[in-house]
């Protein structure tokens, strides 16, 4: 499983990191985000790449999990 | 990497948001806002600066608390609170962001519009905005060079709760001030352009109100009156504006405005839509080139279509390079100014509209960038660097050279840290 931390990053860095992480085609990926925009962008990006996505919200953080 | 679709379902959300914002903006022009300026983040923040310090910064013609800004902040804040996205955060080089906001505003006031208004000008048929749009593309490309080198201002973190409330609090203060000013009790320190005021091209200009299309009441210089031949004459009998100059007088932008509650309601709706959709006026081009994702691009395309259609419906569409409202046709100047503004916005992580929305979501760094824009606006008018419809100010090019150097320095600094 690939794990990424995009907390506190301005646009478009969350997407850049996610795109890079998908280059080796991981079966599972987990992304930690803390802003609504980063969460929405990463979720949409993973779905566009064919992942099944779930989001856990705990406190100030979103944990986005993608698998395929 | 396996095949990824480059246009996803959020494209339609963003396209719809852009259509809505563009249509409302063009409609606001029919309600009294300045031409092709139904919505302009830079211009409207500048007008707010004018309200507070216009007497010092020579902003008599552009001084009014634009209720659209208040609405956008409160609408976005409400949407963020309801979706639990309101989070006080900050600490990612706030001072650098202040400078970037300042430079963004400087570029916008040389072009005559922010990255949102550039598209709206085009949607009104103003082809001189094309130079600005080319500048946006150039600014995005320059920004991408540094993003690829690892440009990063560092991570924002959770901050003390009150810091997240600065921009919403400011919006409430502005709301109180604009309401009392509209009721006639403008605070003594404040400057507010009179609704419907006209100004002549003289130095200093004569300012007057019209009634039934005819010059009626002279506001400036104080004590001056309208002579029978149509000129404006000072108390001591000297002519301050010839009849010809009075006939050619133009409306002051700050005096062109929709009704307070109309602007406020429109702003609220735009704020909610922008917060939910994450509409950005530069991010679409950026994402298309940088990560090959086209959803965000639908936002500005929608904005362009929405504003074009509504402008056509209301007979406000004027295709061409000449006689465009609050615009000049200095191609190189517009291109350079927008390249600078967009490069600054790229390093902020989003256009000024997004900075206002994120500030309303509790992002103290974005609030700092907005503060930089407010201060930058005052500076540009105080230093006579802002453009007019006639073209660039004499010192605009040296000022842009300095700003370009500062931006490259910031970009190199941000790229070096993470290298």
């Amino acid at each position: 499983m690939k794990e990424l931390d995009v907390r506190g990053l301005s646009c478009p860095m969350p997407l850049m990191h996610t795109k890079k992480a998908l280059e080796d085609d991981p079966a599972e990926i987990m992304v930690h985000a803390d802003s609504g925009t980063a969460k929405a962008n990463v979720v949409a990006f993973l779905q566009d790449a064919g992942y099944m996505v779930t989001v856990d919200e705990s406190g100030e953080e979103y944990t986005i999990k993608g698998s395929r | 990497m396996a095949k990824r679709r480059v246009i996803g379902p959020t494209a339609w959300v963003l396209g719809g948001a852009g259509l809505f914002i563009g249509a409302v903006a063009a409609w606001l022009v029919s309600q009294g806002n300045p031409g092709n300026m139904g919505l302009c983040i830079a211009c409207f923040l500048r007008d707010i600066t004018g309200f507070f310090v216009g007497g010092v910064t020579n902003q008599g013609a552009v001084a009014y608390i634009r209720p659209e800004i208040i609405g956008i902040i409160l609408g976005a804040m409400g949407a963020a609170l309801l979706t639990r996205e309101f989070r006080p955060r900050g600490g990612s080089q706030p001072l650098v962001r202040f400078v970037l906001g300042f430079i963004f505003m400087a570029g916008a006031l040389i072009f005559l519009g922010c990255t949102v208004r550039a598209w709206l000008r085009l949607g009104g048929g103003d082809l001189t905005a094309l130079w600005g749009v080319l500048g946006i593309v150039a600014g995005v490309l320059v920004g991408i060079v540094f993003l690829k080198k690892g440009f990063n201002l560092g991570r924002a973190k959770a901050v003390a709760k009150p810091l997240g409330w600065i921009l919403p609090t400011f919006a409430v203060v502005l709301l109180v001030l604009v309401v009392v000013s509209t009721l006639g009790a403008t605070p003594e320190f404040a400057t507010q352009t009179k609704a419907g005021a006209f100004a002549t091209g003289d130095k200093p200009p004569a300012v007057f109100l019209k009634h039934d299309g005819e010059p009626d009441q002279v506001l400036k210089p104080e004590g001056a009156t309208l002579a029978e031949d149509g000129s404006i004459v000072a108390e001591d009998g000297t002519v301050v504006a010839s009849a010809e100059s009075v006939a050619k007088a133009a409306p002051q932008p700050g005096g062109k405005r929709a009704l307070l509650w109309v602007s406020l309601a429109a702003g609220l709706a735009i704020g909610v839509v922008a917060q939910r959709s994450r509409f950005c006026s530069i991010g679409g081009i950026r994402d298309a080139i940088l990560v090959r994702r086209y959803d965000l691009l639908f936002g500005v395309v929608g904005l362009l279509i929405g504003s074009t259609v509504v402008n056509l419906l209301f007979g406000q569409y004027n295709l061409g390079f000449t006689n465009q409202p609050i615009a000049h046709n200095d191609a190189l100047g517009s291109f350079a100014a927008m390249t600078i503004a967009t490069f600054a916005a790229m390093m902020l992580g989003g256009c000024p509209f997004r900075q206002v929305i994120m500030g309303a979501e509790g992002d103290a760094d974005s609030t700092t960038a907005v503060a930089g824009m407010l201060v930058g606006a005052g500076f540009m008018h105080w230093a006579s660097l802002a453009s007019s419809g006639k073209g660039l100010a004499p010192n605009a090019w040296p000022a842009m050279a300095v700003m370009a150097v500062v931006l490259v320095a910031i970009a190199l600094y941000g790229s070096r840290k993470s290298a």
Side-chain angles (χ1 to χ4, degrees):
Chain A
M1 160 130 67
K2 204 135 197 174
E3 195 165 347
L4 274 183
D5 182 3
V6 300
R7 286 176 299 174
L9 294 177
S10 301
C11 282
M13 279 169 259
L15 276 190
M16 289 171 74
H17 289 307
T18 309
K19 181 169 184 260
K20 191 147 190 246
L22 293 191
E23 273 168 13
D24 358 310
D25 216 356
E28 286 188 350
I29 181 165
M30 188 197 282
V31 185
H32 302 277
D34 63 355
S35 81
T37 301
K39 175 201 68 175
N41 283 338
V42 170
V43 167
F45 195 88
L46 290 177
Q47 285 171 341
D48 288 347
Y51 285 85
M52 293 283 296
V53 181
T54 58
V55 181
D56 276 329
E57 191 183 339
S58 61
E60 302 280 284
E61 200 184 310
Y62 303 100
T63 307
I64 305 155
K65 284 183 189 146
S67 60
R68 65 175 171 196
Chain B
M1 189 167 90
K3 204 165 163 53
R4 169 171 63 87
R5 68 177 175 215
V6 291
I7 297 173
T10 62
W12 309 111
V13 175
L14 280 153
L19 269 177
F20 177 80
I21 297 169
V24 171
W27 176 76
L28 280 171
V29 174
S30 78
Q31 297 299 302
N33 273 17
N36 294 343
M37 206 194 276
L39 178 68
C40 173
I41 303 301
C43 320
F44 287 5
L45 289 175
R46 183 267 320 271
D47 291 356
I48 290 172
T49 300
F51 179 87
F52 289 99
V53 294
V56 181
T57 54
N58 192 23
Q59 279 183 256
V62 283
Y64 175 53
I65 295 179
R66 294 280 176 185
E68 290 86 351
I69 296 286
I70 301 170
I72 288 171
I73 295 171
L74 297 181
M77 178 198 73
L81 284 171
L82 282 175
T83 52
R84 283 177 300 160
E85 287 187 3
F86 185 92
R87 282 160 195 207
R89 55 186 185 267
S92 167
Q93 298 283 2
L95 276 176
V96 173
R97 289 177 189 270
F98 180 91
V99 174
L100 291 172
F102 186 110
I103 293 179
F104 175 87
M105 178 61 87
L109 292 180
I110 292 173
F111 167 64
L112 290 180
C114 63
T115 44
V116 175
R117 187 175 183 241
W119 300 102
L120 291 175
R121 275 171 59 175
L122 209 51
D126 175 357
L127 295 178
T128 65
L130 280 172
W131 314 125
V133 169
L134 286 176
I136 293 179
V137 175
V140 167
L141 290 172
V142 177
I144 283 177
V145 169
F146 288 99
L147 280 169
K148 283 196 164 166
K149 281 186 176 186
F151 175 83
N152 183 357
L153 286 178
R155 289 177 194 260
K157 295 175 188 68
V159 292
K161 294 251 178 326
L163 288 175
W165 288 95
I166 293 175
L167 200 59
T169 308
F170 183 55
V172 173
V173 171
L174 291 178
L175 183 59
V176 171
L177 287 171
V178 74
V179 168
V180 298
S181 299
T182 302
L183 293 174
T186 310
E188 205 154 307
F189 69 84
T191 304
Q192 180 159 281
T193 313
K194 274 263 190 306
F198 281 74
T200 64
D202 305 276
K203 279 189 177 174
V207 182
F208 61 90
L209 296 175
K210 282 187 178 179
H211 186 72
D212 290 338
E214 291 299 318
D216 181 43
Q217 184 195 347
V218 179
L219 302 172
K220 272 182 191 170
E222 266 178 57
T225 48
L226 206 61
E228 267 180 28
D229 65 354
S231 62
I232 290 176
V233 181
E235 256 176 324
D236 61 6
T238 51
V239 176
V240 288
S242 66
E244 189 195 3
S245 151
V246 170
K248 277 202 290 192
Q252 294 188 303
K256 297 200 81 177
R257 54 219 198 204
L259 290 173
L260 170 59
W261 69 268
V262 169
S263 296
L264 192 61
L268 276 169
I270 290 173
V272 172
V273 168
Q275 199 278 336
R276 292 319 301 147
S277 67
R278 340 267 176 199
F279 174 88
C280 180
S281 59
I282 62 163
I285 299 173
R286 177 198 64 203
D287 284 2
I289 300 170
L290 185 63
V291 290
R292 284 219 320 123
R293 184 165 182 270
Y294 297 89
D295 293 26
L296 199 46
L297 198 55
F298 278 65
V300 282
V301 172
L303 189 76
L304 194 54
I305 296 173
S307 57
T308 303
V309 169
V310 174
N311 279 322
L312 283 167
L313 285 176
F314 282 89
Q316 300 166 169
Y317 193 80
N318 170 27
L319 189 69
F321 286 94
T322 51
N323 291 326
Q324 297 297 346
I326 317 171
H328 56 69
N329 194 14
D330 185 326
L332 202 59
S334 293
F335 174 78
M338 257 326 171
T339 304
I340 285 170
T342 305
F343 183 22
M346 283 288 287
M347 291 195 272
L348 284 170
C351 74
F353 193 9
R354 282 292 301 159
Q355 299 305 316
V356 171
I357 299 290
M358 291 192 291
E361 293 172 346
D363 188 329
D365 291 335
S366 294
T367 299
T368 314
V370 173
M373 293 179 210
L374 289 165
V375 174
F379 174 80
M380 289 299 283
H381 281 270
W382 172 79
S384 299
L385 287 169
S387 296
S388 72
K390 293 183 197 122
L392 266 56
N395 290 323
W397 279 106
M400 285 198 280
V402 173
M403 292 189 289
V405 170
V406 173
L407 287 184
V408 171
I410 291 175
L412 290 172
Y413 162 77
S415 311
R416 169 198 58 86
K417 257 194 331 172
S418 55

